[in-house]
Amino acid sequence: MQIVPRQQRGALVLAVSGDLDIDNVAPLGAALSTAARDGSGPVVVELSEVNFADSTTVNVLLQGQTALGPRLRLAAPSPFMERLIGLLGLDSALPVFPTVAEAVDPSLPS
C-alpha cells in the first residue's frame, strides 16, 4: 500500500494504491487524522489504484468521516472498491465521486 499526497485546487488529495488491509492501513488513518487537525479544505481519497480492501479499511474511512465530516470525499474508485462501496452501502455515509476533479470541486459538470 502506498499513499501519495498532493494539493489540487485547495484540496488535499491522497492517492492510495495497492492492497489495504489490517497490516498496512494505519498510514491512511494517520493521514486522515493529520488532515483533520491541520487543514480546512476538502480531503479526497483517490481509490483508482486500490486492488483490495478489508473491513479495517472501511473502519478507517468511517473514522475519517467522523473526524472530517463533509470534507472527506472518496474519488475514482477502482472496480473492486466500487463493488465494495456498493455492497456495504458506504456511499450513503461518504460522498463518492467518479473523478478526483469532481470530488475537489463538486460544482463541475459530470
Side-chain angles (χ1 to χ4, degrees), residues 2-88:
Q2 182 177 5
I3 301 170
V4 178
R6 69 179 186 273
Q7 290 293 319
Q8 184 172 327
R9 299 185 61 183
L12 171 63
V13 177
L14 302 172
V16 182
S17 61
D19 294 345
L20 302 172
D21 59 34
I22 193 168
D23 293 326
N24 66 9
V25 76
L28 177 59
L32 294 174
S33 292
T34 299
R37 281 191 315 271
D38 297 345
S40 59
V43 177
V44 177
V45 180
E46 180 182 354
L47 300 168
S48 61
E49 299 297 321
V50 174
N51 305 315
F52 173 81
D54 68 1
S55 61
T56 309
T57 305
V58 173
N59 240 356
V60 165
L61 292 171
L62 290 172
Q63 288 171 358
Q65 194 272 337
T66 299
L68 290 157
R71 291 178 48 212
L72 180 61
R73 302 162 187 178
L74 306 182
S78 66
F80 176 86
M81 288 303 297
E82 195 169 351
R83 184 162 188 256
L84 182 66
I85 289 165
L87 284 172
L88 297 177

